[in-house]
Amino acid sequence: MKNRNIQKIIRNNMPWLILLAVSVIFSFISPNFFTVANVINILNQNAYIITCAIGITLVMMAGQIDLSVGYQMSLIGVTMGLLVQKLGMPTPVVFLIAIIEGIVLSEINTLLALKLKITLLMVTVGTMTVYNGISFTISESKNLSGFDDMFKFVAKGYIGPLPFAVIVTAILVVIMSIFLNKTYYGRYIYALGGNEEAARLSGINVNKTKLMIGFFEGLFVALGTIMLVSRVGTAHSGTGPGTEFTVITGILLGGVSIRGGEGKLSGVVAGILIMAILANGMQLAGWGTYVQFIAKGIIMLAAIGFDVYQMTHRKLVVDKTKDENGN
Amino acid sequence: MSTAIRLDSIVKIYPGVKALDEVSFSVEKGHVHSLVGENGAGKSTLIKVISGAEVPNSGTIYVEEEPYSQMTPALSGQLGIGVIYQEYNLVPSLSVLENVFLGYKVGGKVFPDKKKMRERLAEVEKKLDIRLDPDEMVSMLSVAEQQFVEIAKSLVRNVKVLIMDEPSATLSNKDVDKLFDVITHLKEEGVTVIYISHRMEEIFRISDDVTVLRDGKHIFTGKIDEVDTHSLISMMVGREINETYPERHTPIGEAVLEVEHLYGNGDRDISFTLHKGEILGLAGLVGAGRTELAKVLYGAVPKEKGVIRVKGKEVEFRNPEDAVACGIGLIPEDRKGEGAFLNYSILWNSVVMALKKDAKGIFVDDRKLEEKARKLSKTFQIKAPSLEQLVRNLSGGNQQKTVLAKTFAADTDILIFDEPTRGIDIGVKHDIYQLMNEIAERGVSIIMISSEMEELIGMSDRIIVLHEGEMMGEVKKEDFDSREILKLASGIKEKD
């Protein structure tokens, strides 16, 4: 019994244990790794990815995948750049428009999936190209800049010893964890991921729930983009694409099942940080960008493979407990 | 008479479970041999051992008196053993001909000899007295026709022993008759048939011999005339079973659901009234439009025309959410696909429909929900070590009880049961009947869809009969007669 509890604790906190292992390994390789400054630096660099991941986690828990995230970010980014550089709009208004744009873009995906009755994956394969095209057209492939101090404070400002973006991200993670676990809307997302048809026949409004997920996805992707553009200091159509890959891999590493219905937001944070530390480590080891692509791809496949392995393996484990209880 | 297959002390152990415990019996050549037992008795494992999908831990399999310690799928195929599983192994997007000869070479090395294949298929069709269009896509065929494709597939491979796992489960009564004709022809061709079914009447109709398994042990093998339904069932469950339907003394109250000239989802002009505390049976053959009607009443599919009144108030359902809000609940036919969340716990499942209702603002009240789940699992006698058990790991009967608890948790008082006892063990079926009676006595009104005539007659206060989307008539309890209902269900309306 005790043994099984330990097993359960290990299984439930696997992402954090992997994160710990990876951190320990790197602290041996590089003595500078486990310093307060470096840890804060890694958190600050990845705050925008974690913020985006919150939104995508909701999508994936409901059993869907959105491939257009990076291109949404690209489009939102250059929109902000244009609003600032060409129209000189004040930063708060720019933020508001960016958030609305994020929500609109992701709701377009959701509505297309609902109306055409196809998966979000299929829709976003199409819309990602469209978003990308619009982004390059309106920005004319130029670097856009001219952001004011308030804009830059998002990623570069500190409150006490902590970066502003990290504090905001932490608050968002806590709020959304509570939302997912303690509200009935959150449970509905799990229901969709568990069995969409059963959810519908249980009187859950599936369409409404999907639109709600789309709302949050757009909101968090927009917030993530604001952090990203603020960090880079300029907006360009090439900034953003590729993020979806890191985010999806991190979410899978964090214990969210590719079939939906499983996982925790805290695990996702660990999953993203694992990706971040590995990237950091590979850079320290002097690996080129393209070699890193190969490594990241392999990690993603490993995460999916592990997810599937766990699914089949867990069945056996539970069957065993059943027997011990005399069934 | 020689034996086609003889099993000697077959043992198969899964981690922690003895699925087959020293099972020995033989199957006579050219006979139809029925294999019966409750779910989990070891029937499926036995089939897998014979077909080579599973390797036994010990024991010997004799095929025509040739001993083998284990089978492989390739070997059993060579020896002429074929299996038709419940889920057909057909490729929907290929033609009948291509499916029949899938993985079986006729003609040259690269290009198959289509002409030869056609001749071969025609030969088989003649032998079985069936008709199949070789060029039709399998996805266009009815379930019964797909089954014939499976049988033809075995026969072109010169099958000697054909194992059929619940072949009648998804067929209508008419198609079952056709299936039995085919089995008779198979027998004439000298093919041995091992037949697995839950339906007693079928077993007595078709088989020469019968074997009973219980908890992985062999209980009985003998001629079918040595046993009757009663003795067979008591051998299967190991105790005497109360075969009668539980009695109910519920006063039938006012009308709670009125349906007038309802059109939609393939059904036409349906009118009936359901009263408080009543169990209304919905009879009909497969494809009569019963499940379709249930989906319209539940708002899962929109209606086209007509009026639905709940407790005297006219309603328009846009989705099931609206129906649940009016107190209507549905226990779907497809328990695993539409009813339960298999990967979640009993606790999670049983309160999912009460989440919003019992919430404080937008926050769920976990303590209240757990208490509710505990009460429900007691009321509905869900047998599991804890509420944390995943529904995936429950038996069919307990899964059904969980779905029932889930629907009941939403305070529904008009429940539509679609095939509530399909695939459920005989012993547990009785529990479900008892539960239905209990909730009817509490004032819940029930619409019960079932393909088992006996169960429908035993449980209902009134039966309405559908045929191809139309209402054929309404039969009152004092006039219940299975032949009469079947006639209506087949579309024969008598004029008096």
Side-chain angles (χ1 to χ4, degrees):
Chain A
M1 196 66 199
K2 210 173 191 178
N3 200 11
R4 205 183 311 138
N5 277 341
I6 293 169
Q7 265 182 18
K8 203 175 157 190
I9 289 168
I10 290 175
R11 212 169 38 229
N12 286 344
N13 295 295
M14 193 60 118
W16 287 102
L17 293 173
I18 296 174
L19 178 63
L20 193 69
V22 173
S23 307
V24 169
I25 292 167
F26 276 105
S27 56
F28 277 114
I29 295 173
S30 158
N32 294 332
F33 178 78
F34 233 140
T35 58
V36 174
N38 195 42
V39 169
I40 287 178
N41 183 36
I42 289 177
L43 288 175
N44 198 17
Q45 274 176 357
N46 289 283
Y48 84 95
I49 296 186
I50 294 173
T51 303
C52 285
I54 298 172
I56 315 306
T57 299
L58 304 193
V59 175
M60 288 180 66
M61 275 179 177
Q64 305 261 23
I65 284 190
D66 185 338
L67 289 183
S68 70
V69 178
Y71 303 92
Q72 291 181 39
M73 293 173 77
S74 155
L75 185 48
I76 298 166
V78 297
T79 309
M80 289 194 292
L82 287 171
L83 292 177
V84 169
Q85 192 177 317
K86 297 263 156 94
L87 302 175
M89 278 194 180
T91 299
V93 179
V94 173
F95 285 169
L96 187 67
I97 293 176
I99 288 170
I100 292 170
E101 185 182 13
I103 293 167
V104 168
L105 293 180
S106 91
E107 292 292 27
I108 286 174
N109 289 337
T110 313
L111 283 169
L112 281 173
L114 287 176
K115 292 294 167 204
L116 300 176
K117 296 191 189 331
I118 51 177
T119 60
L120 197 60
L121 177 78
M122 303 290 291
V123 169
T124 54
V125 165
T127 53
M128 64 187 247
T129 319
V130 175
Y131 294 164
N132 199 24
I134 298 174
S135 172
F136 275 104
T137 310
I138 60 172
S139 73
E140 296 164 329
S141 308
K142 282 184 188 131
N143 265 321
L144 302 162
S145 54
F147 300 110
D148 63 9
D149 287 343
M150 184 181 174
F151 202 114
K152 286 178 184 154
F153 181 81
V154 172
K156 294 183 176 148
Y158 277 76
I159 293 182
L162 290 171
F164 177 68
V166 173
I167 295 171
V168 170
T169 304
I171 292 171
L172 291 175
V173 167
V174 170
I175 291 175
M176 288 314 284
S177 288
I178 294 170
F179 175 79
L180 265 174
N181 294 311
K182 292 290 165 202
T183 71
Y184 62 85
Y185 292 120
R187 300 273 168 98
Y188 285 180
I189 294 174
Y190 281 98
L192 246 60
N195 184 342
E196 192 174 315
E197 190 55 18
R200 193 171 81 94
L201 292 178
S202 295
I204 292 172
N205 194 326
V206 171
N207 291 359
K208 229 189 203 165
T209 310
K210 284 184 174 170
L211 288 170
M212 176 193 79
I213 294 170
F215 170 84
F216 281 117
E217 189 202 351
L219 172 66
F220 286 106
V221 168
L223 291 176
T225 311
I226 292 171
M227 290 180 193
L228 174 64
V229 172
S230 164
R231 226 170 66 77
V232 179
T234 59
H236 183 262
S237 295
T239 308
T243 313
E244 70 278 358
F245 186 85
T246 314
V247 168
I248 291 172
T249 311
I251 290 172
L252 289 172
L253 280 176
V256 174
S257 170
I258 194 128
R259 285 173 230 76
E262 314 229 341
K264 291 186 294 191
L265 213 45
S266 62
V268 168
V269 173
I272 302 282
L273 290 177
I274 293 170
M275 291 293 286
I277 289 170
L278 287 176
N280 192 317
M282 286 188 284
Q283 223 133 34
L284 286 180
W287 293 8
T289 316
Y290 303 121
V291 181
Q292 287 188 37
F293 279 162
I294 299 173
K296 279 187 182 176
I298 292 171
I299 294 167
M300 186 183 211
L301 287 174
I304 295 173
F306 182 71
D307 177 36
V308 174
Y309 168 79
Q310 238 193 349
M311 203 68 194
T312 44
H313 185 72
R314 192 190 48 196
K315 252 159 80 183
L316 276 178
V317 173
V318 179
D319 280 350
K320 270 185 204 154
T321 53
K322 211 168 127 189
D323 298 323
E324 281 168 31
N325 287 299
N327 279 305
Chain B
M1 209 33 120
S2 56
T3 64
I5 286 180
R6 186 155 68 85
L7 301 174
D8 187 20
S9 316
I10 299 288
V11 176
K12 175 71 199 175
I13 299 166
Y14 290 118
V17 195
K18 225 173 190 180
L20 292 174
D21 189 1
E22 304 263 337
V23 172
S24 312
F25 69 93
S26 31
V27 178
E28 299 287 327
K29 220 180 222 171
H31 278 200
V32 176
H33 194 119
S34 284
L35 193 56
V36 299
E38 290 194 287
N39 289 340
K43 291 170 297 180
S44 310
T45 313
L46 193 69
I47 299 171
K48 285 182 186 154
V49 166
I50 296 175
S51 67
E54 291 278 2
V55 177
N57 295 73
S58 68
T60 315
I61 306 157
Y62 293 87
V63 180
E64 304 196 333
E65 291 305 325
E66 200 65 43
Y68 298 92
S69 65
Q70 67 172 72
M71 284 281 153
T72 63
L75 181 62
S76 74
Q78 272 169 33
L79 294 170
I81 298 170
V83 187
I84 298 177
Y85 291 101
Q86 264 173 26
E87 283 89 30
Y88 302 150
N89 274 318
L90 299 174
V91 185
S93 56
L94 292 183
S95 73
V96 169
L97 193 72
E98 284 163 324
N99 265 288
V100 167
F101 289 94
L102 198 67
Y104 185 72
K105 248 184 250 161
V106 177
K109 271 204 176 111
V110 182
F111 297 104
D113 186 344
K114 283 240 167 157
K115 207 177 141 213
K116 227 181 196 165
M117 282 160 58
R118 273 171 207 281
E119 284 169 12
R120 200 62 188 280
L121 180 60
E123 221 173 275
V124 167
E125 283 180 54
K126 212 174 138 197
K127 273 186 196 164
L128 297 179
D129 194 19
I130 53 173
R131 236 158 231 297
L132 291 168
D133 176 359
D135 300 314
E136 184 72 282
M137 255 192 2
V138 160
S139 59
M140 306 299 286
L141 301 181
S142 70
V143 183
E145 285 171 318
Q146 291 188 15
Q147 193 161 57
F148 293 153
V149 175
E150 280 274 9
I151 296 173
K153 199 170 146 186
S154 301
L155 228 61
V156 296
R157 289 165 171 74
N158 292 318
V159 76
K160 290 180 194 152
V161 178
L162 186 58
I163 303 170
M164 304 174 92
D165 190 2
E166 299 231 28
S168 62
T170 49
L171 298 185
S172 69
N173 292 346
K174 225 159 109 199
D175 288 330
V176 171
D177 287 343
K178 256 193 249 162
L179 172 68
F180 282 9
D181 286 341
V182 169
I183 292 178
T184 314
H185 288 302
L186 281 171
K187 236 173 102 175
E188 283 163 8
E189 295 297 320
V191 175
T192 310
V193 176
I194 297 177
Y195 188 86
I196 294 158
S197 176
H198 267 111
R199 300 187 185 169
M200 284 296 139
E201 39 154 306
E202 284 177 10
I203 289 159
F204 284 97
R205 229 172 102 191
I206 195 75
S207 33
D208 301 301
D209 310 305
V210 61
T211 288
V212 182
L213 294 181
R214 186 175 73 226
D215 299 333
K217 293 191 184 68
H218 175 253
I219 303 296
F220 171 84
T221 295
K223 296 246 164 297
I224 194 74
D225 26 6
E226 292 169 28
V227 291
D228 56 23
T229 316
H230 193 76
S231 62
L232 213 51
I233 290 175
S234 28
M235 280 193 280
M236 280 164 65
V237 297
R239 63 197 139 94
E240 292 289 314
I241 274 291
N242 184 2
E243 256 185 289
T244 55
Y245 293 87
E247 270 190 48
R248 172 164 39 91
H249 315 276
T250 327
I252 290 177
E254 73 282 3
V256 290
L257 176 71
E258 293 159 274
V259 175
E260 281 168 24
H261 307 294
L262 185 70
Y263 287 73
N265 205 8
D267 287 326
R268 296 179 299 277
D269 201 11
I270 310 280
S271 302
F272 65 88
T273 306
L274 175 71
H275 301 92
K276 191 172 177 162
E278 184 182 35
I279 297 185
L280 176 68
L282 258 185
L285 306 174
V286 171
R290 296 167 301 169
T291 301
E292 288 76 4
L293 177 60
K295 293 252 161 104
V296 174
L297 292 177
Y298 191 56
V301 175
K303 68 175 191 197
E304 282 155 21
K305 297 199 278 197
V307 177
I308 302 173
R309 265 193 294 270
V310 178
K311 286 149 216 158
K313 237 170 61 194
E314 197 175 327
V315 291
E316 288 291 337
F317 296 148
R318 288 162 302 166
N319 47 38
E321 190 185 15
D322 291 348
V324 173
C326 282
I328 299 182
L330 172 74
I331 321 289
E333 177 182 12
D334 180 2
R335 190 160 50 234
K336 294 184 182 190
E338 300 184 337
F341 297 86
L342 293 178
N343 286 330
Y344 298 153
S345 65
I346 298 172
L347 172 66
W348 201 98
N349 269 274
S350 53
V351 298
V352 64
M353 287 178 73
L355 287 174
K356 194 171 180 175
K357 195 167 50 69
D358 288 346
K360 291 180 194 155
I362 62 164
F363 293 100
V364 291
D365 187 345
D366 276 318
R367 200 175 301 165
K368 191 171 166 190
L369 289 175
E370 195 173 332
E371 202 176 300
K372 190 165 197 162
R374 216 166 281 293
K375 261 191 205 153
L376 285 166
S377 92
K378 216 170 175 185
T379 312
F380 290 98
Q381 301 154 35
I382 300 166
K383 290 188 189 90
S386 86
L387 287 177
E388 296 302 322
Q389 184 83 319
L390 299 188
V391 172
R392 173 181 294 290
N393 297 313
L394 298 178
S395 68
N398 280 314
Q399 285 180 352
Q400 186 70 312
K401 288 174 183 174
T402 307
V403 176
L404 198 50
K406 179 190 91 170
T407 316
F408 206 68
D411 287 338
T412 44
D413 54 9
I414 299 170
L415 289 181
I416 307 169
F417 285 79
D418 196 353
E419 303 282 0
T421 63
R422 172 166 287 172
I424 287 177
D425 293 346
I426 293 172
V428 183
K429 272 186 184 178
H430 199 82
D431 290 356
I432 303 274
Y433 299 144
Q434 199 92 49
L435 287 171
M436 287 174 75
N437 275 350
E438 272 170 32
I439 57 179
E441 269 166 24
R442 290 192 196 179
V444 170
S445 316
I446 292 174
I447 295 176
M448 179 184 189
I449 298 172
S450 173
S451 290
E452 283 184 47
M453 194 57 72
E454 240 181 85
E455 151 180 305
L456 212 51
I457 288 178
M459 291 297 295
S460 312
D461 296 305
R462 211 156 38 100
I463 292 177
I464 52 178
V465 189
L466 297 189
H467 170 72
E468 290 182 354
E470 273 178 82
M471 224 175 116
M472 296 303 292
E474 185 180 309
V475 189
K476 292 204 175 69
K477 192 163 187 111
E478 50 271 27
D479 303 328
F480 279 177
D481 174 41
S482 57
R483 290 240 302 277
E484 221 37 58
I485 293 169
L486 215 64
K487 244 190 208 166
L488 286 172
S490 316
I492 307 162
K493 214 168 188 175
E494 261 161 89
K495 287 173 195 146
D496 38 333

